[in-house]
Amino acid sequence: MDMSAREIRMPLSEVVAMLQDLNEFVVSLDRLGSRQASGTADEHTVGKFIADWDVARRLSRARHVISVALDGQLSEEDNAEIDALCEQGHFYGTDSAVSPSTDQFS
C-alpha cells in the first residue's frame, strides 16, 4: 500500500486533545532528562511522572483514536498491513529490542 498520498480524517477535537497530551509528554520528559543530566532527578522521578500523569492510558487513548479513524476509512487489507508494520516496532523488555540511536529524532 502506498501511504505517501493517503489521508485520514479525524475529528479536530480529538487531534487537539492528542496534541496537548503529546506536547505535555515531550516537554515534561525533556525537562526530566535535563534534571537527570544535572543530577537532580533519577529513574524513580521518571517512573513517578509516568504513573502520576497517567501516561500509559493517555497514549493508549491516542492510539485508539487513530486506530478508529483508520478502521473506519481503510480496507481490512490496508489495516492488516498497518497492524503488521506496527508489530515490527522496538518494544522495551523484549530480547530483540535495541536502544534507539541518540540521533534518531534529530
Side-chain angles (χ1 to χ4, degrees), residues 11-78:
L12 182 58
S13 61
E14 297 286 354
V15 172
V16 170
M18 286 188 295
L19 284 172
Q20 287 173 322
D21 283 348
L22 292 171
N23 190 52
E24 286 180 18
F25 300 151
V26 169
V27 171
S28 297
L29 288 169
D30 180 62
R31 290 178 180 172
L32 284 166
S34 294
R35 288 183 55 201
Q36 280 184 312
S38 70
T40 59
D42 59 15
E43 292 80 13
H44 174 74
T45 308
V46 175
K48 185 168 173 36
F49 163 74
I50 290 170
D52 290 353
W53 286 54
D54 206 11
V55 172
R57 185 196 57 78
R58 291 165 67 188
L59 288 173
S60 178
R61 183 184 173 286
R63 180 180 61 187
H64 174 75
V65 168
I66 293 169
S67 293
V68 167
L70 293 172
D71 288 345
Q73 298 173 56
L74 298 178
S75 69
E76 283 187 39
E77 295 81 20
D78 288 343

Side-chain angles (χ1 to χ4, degrees), residues 90 96-102 104:
H90 298 284
S96 62
V98 293
S99 297
S101 65
T102 55
Q104 179 179 356

